[in-house]
Amino acid sequence: MRGSAEGHELVAPGNLAGVLEMLAAAPGEWTPIAGGTELMVAHAAGRLAAARLVSLWGIADLRFVDAQRGGIAIGAGTTFADLRAHEVVAAELPLLARAASWIGSVANQSRATVGGNLVNGSPAADSSPALLVYDAEVELISVRGRRRMPYSGFHTGYKRNALAADELLYAVHVPRRFTSHRQYLRKVGTRKAMAISKVALAGTALLGDGEVREIRLAAASLAAFPTRLYRTEDALKGKAVAGDTIRAARSALLAEVMPIDDIRSTAAYRRRVAANLLEEFLLELTQGEATR
Ligand SMILES: Cc1cc2nc3c(=O)[nH]c(=O)nc-3n(C[C@H](O)[C@H](O)[C@H](O)COP(=O)(O)OP(=O)(O)OC[C@H]3O[C@@H](n4cnc5c(N)ncnc54)[C@H](O)[C@@H]3O)c2cc1C
């Protein structure tokens, strides 16, 4: 059944303080709506449960990319078109810039926000693997103040997260220390554009004396929410990347991931492709300097 505007209320205070006051006055009563590319699809399909919506669209305090010496802060209301156009993001966070270019169509990218992508919490969210391997932190805000936490701890279950009922996601903070790392991101979907991932794998790695000094791996569509692959990372740290290590890392990944069968793919396919993507990244580490 298609949705109707009846039964839904939309309020747009137009500034951050006004939104936070509304959330504080009636925690859990109001659902924030940013670009609306998730919520309006749910509405059109007649499955938008939220009766009261408070708009974040057009709030300048949420839409910024601020590159400081210590890190790059990205406001939750920043669109993926904004990210694609940002020179520092392109130069220093190429995986995030690439993920931004994959999200839906160009039209979608001019509405879809980083905050909406993370709070929606799809296991297949495209910005998540890149942010996870860049060690991003999220900043949450309410009238009670602000708090920061590692993005890796933000998702707590399928479409569940650490936000309290009166909080908004305010910003994502990414450290500026990954330019010397080898980087990898690949999304496997039904087609190159306008396709949700069947599997995605991201990686950043620092090699020294032929060994893996640091490695971060993250995946989408391989668990109930986008996750770091810590046990697979452990199988690689301090090791030279060669046949035995690659085989051990593949085994570690297959033991760590928990994909499901759904309309887009099967668990068996996802496991096999994920292991192949990992091997592709590791083989790239043994060759040239290319960043994928
Ligand atoms: C045609 C189409 C193609 C798509 N393709 C892709 C794709 O390839 N990859 C992909 O990852 N996604 C895709 N999406 C999904 C969607 O565009 C993204 O998830 C987008 O980033 C959502 O952002 P939004 O601002 O539109 O979210 P909204 O729809 O406005 O909100 C989504 C959720 O986030 C909450 N929310 C938003 N901002 C905040 C905040 N600051 N604080 C607290 N809660 C907040 C809302 O309450 C809601 O629960 C697609 C969607 C469409 C319609």
Side-chain angles (χ1 to χ4, degrees):
M1 194 182 77
R2 290 190 64 79
S4 121
E6 270 176 44
H8 296 285
E9 179 186 359
L10 174 66
V11 176
N15 60 72
L16 183 56
V19 174
L20 295 179
E21 276 160 26
M22 288 180 63
L23 296 181
E29 186 73 15
W30 294 94
T31 298
I33 178 167
T37 60
E38 296 280 358
L39 292 178
M40 292 311 291
V41 169
H43 177 256
R47 51 180 172 77
L48 179 63
R52 308 181 88 187
L53 299 160
V54 56
S55 178
L56 308 182
W57 189 252
I59 296 183
D61 284 348
L62 288 172
R63 189 171 180 178
F64 59 86
V65 179
D66 187 13
Q68 299 288 340
R69 207 164 57 173
I72 301 171
I74 300 167
T78 304
T79 67
F80 289 103
D82 295 338
L83 283 186
R84 287 189 72 176
H86 202 280
E87 283 176 15
V88 178
V89 172
E92 298 190 25
L93 308 175
L95 304 185
L96 186 60
R98 183 135 18 101
S101 75
W102 288 337
I103 292 188
S105 61
V106 169
N108 184 259
Q109 289 158 20
S110 58
R111 292 287 302 193
T113 64
V114 175
N117 201 234
L118 301 187
V119 176
N120 182 59
S122 162
D126 273 327
S127 66
S128 296
L131 291 171
L132 286 166
V133 297
Y134 286 142
D135 261 355
E137 289 190 349
V138 288
E139 182 175 354
L140 315 183
I141 190 168
S142 71
V143 293
R144 296 173 288 117
R146 298 166 188 247
R147 60 186 177 118
R148 266 169 84 148
M149 63 186 297
Y151 171 53
S152 56
F154 179 68
H155 300 292
T156 54
Y158 177 71
K159 298 222 164 190
R160 294 167 64 90
N161 60 52
L163 278 171
D166 64 345
E167 279 180 318
L168 287 179
L169 177 58
Y170 173 69
V172 181
H173 298 269
V174 189
R176 297 183 84 169
R177 58 187 161 77
F178 287 96
T179 44
S180 54
H181 288 229
R182 307 281 289 278
Q183 305 191 14
Y184 175 92
L185 177 63
R186 189 150 171 201
K187 166 178 173 173
V188 175
T190 304
R191 49 190 185 194
K192 283 199 166 167
M194 288 293 284
I196 304 294
S197 75
K198 293 170 189 269
V199 181
L201 188 86
T204 51
L206 199 58
L207 303 187
D209 298 330
E211 290 179 354
V212 176
R213 293 271 185 256
E214 285 183 41
I215 188 156
R216 291 170 181 79
L217 298 164
S221 300
L222 290 177
F225 49 86
T227 42
R228 275 279 291 273
L229 301 173
Y230 291 109
R231 278 176 277 161
T232 310
E233 293 171 9
D234 288 343
L236 288 157
K237 279 184 206 155
K239 308 266 171 57
V241 181
D244 285 353
T245 318
I246 293 175
R247 277 189 289 279
R250 283 184 69 111
S251 301
L253 177 139
L254 291 171
E256 185 165 22
V257 300
M258 289 179 292
I260 57 165
D261 292 333
D262 67 12
I263 50 162
R264 278 192 285 280
S265 192
T266 63
Y269 176 85
R270 289 182 157 122
R271 292 165 64 80
R272 193 166 171 171
V273 171
N276 289 347
L277 296 183
L278 174 64
E279 182 162 341
E280 180 176 67
F281 176 40
L282 297 177
L283 289 174
E284 283 183 8
L285 292 180
T286 66
Q287 301 154 4
E289 292 295 319
T291 289
R292 176 192 272 274

